[in-house]
Amino acid sequence: MHAYGQIYVHDGSTAQALTATPGLLTGFATLGPNSAARDGDLGATPTLAYDVIAVKKNGIYRITFNISAAFSAAAIVQIHARIGTTEIASIAAQQDIVTTSGVDKHFTYAATGIYEATADGNIGLYGESSNNGNLTPCHGSLLVERVG
């Protein structure tokens, strides 16, 4: 069976503080297509209340994320996929944000990678910044698909 789950934000406007300590991105507001209703606990179950997608079965998963956002400070901003609090090193993006006269800098990130799940866990996006600031996601999604 092909399991999949998606959460996303569209026209978001809620800011979230980022610091040097990785924190779960919590701006997702909508459940996207998912196979949980059809397949139950056989794959990927999105949970908006926790801004994660639960992986329910061992296997190979493709994780894809994209985010278009604004950041309020000059900083190096990183976004990483994590299972629980463990970083998935192959699925990450980074950008050096430069602001002008206090105007928020808009940017877009995207990353895709393969992850082998050996136990149940929650996949989420975590952000961190070299300089404290506010991240405001405008559009973005997290998609998890079981491919093997």
Side-chain angles (χ1 to χ4, degrees), residues 40-147:
D41 285 345
L42 296 178
T45 304
T47 307
L48 277 179
Y50 302 108
D51 296 289
V52 297
I53 298 176
V55 172
K56 299 290 194 171
K57 186 174 182 177
N58 296 353
I60 306 297
Y61 291 82
R62 177 178 30 237
I63 301 170
T64 303
F65 78 81
N66 65 72
I67 185 168
S68 173
F71 197 68
S72 65
I76 296 172
V77 175
Q78 298 181 41
I79 307 293
H80 298 270
R82 291 179 178 249
I83 185 150
T85 57
T86 302
E87 183 178 306
I88 303 171
S90 64
I91 307 171
Q94 173 179 306
Q95 184 164 344
D96 192 356
I97 307 298
V98 180
T99 59
T100 305
S101 302
V103 176
D104 288 0
K105 169 72 175 179
H106 291 265
F107 60 90
T108 301
Y109 287 127
T112 299
I114 298 295
Y115 175 73
E116 183 174 2
T118 57
D120 290 0
N122 293 320
I123 295 174
L125 294 181
Y126 283 69
E128 60 188 279
S129 170
S130 64
N131 189 16
N132 295 351
N134 291 316
L135 176 82
T136 305
C138 304
H139 302 285
S141 69
L142 172 62
L143 172 65
V144 176
E145 304 169 86
R146 187 162 166 256
V147 295

Side-chain angles (χ1 to χ4, degrees), residues 25-38:
L25 298 186
T26 58
F28 297 103
T30 308
L31 282 176
N34 67 84
S35 62
R38 185 189 70 216

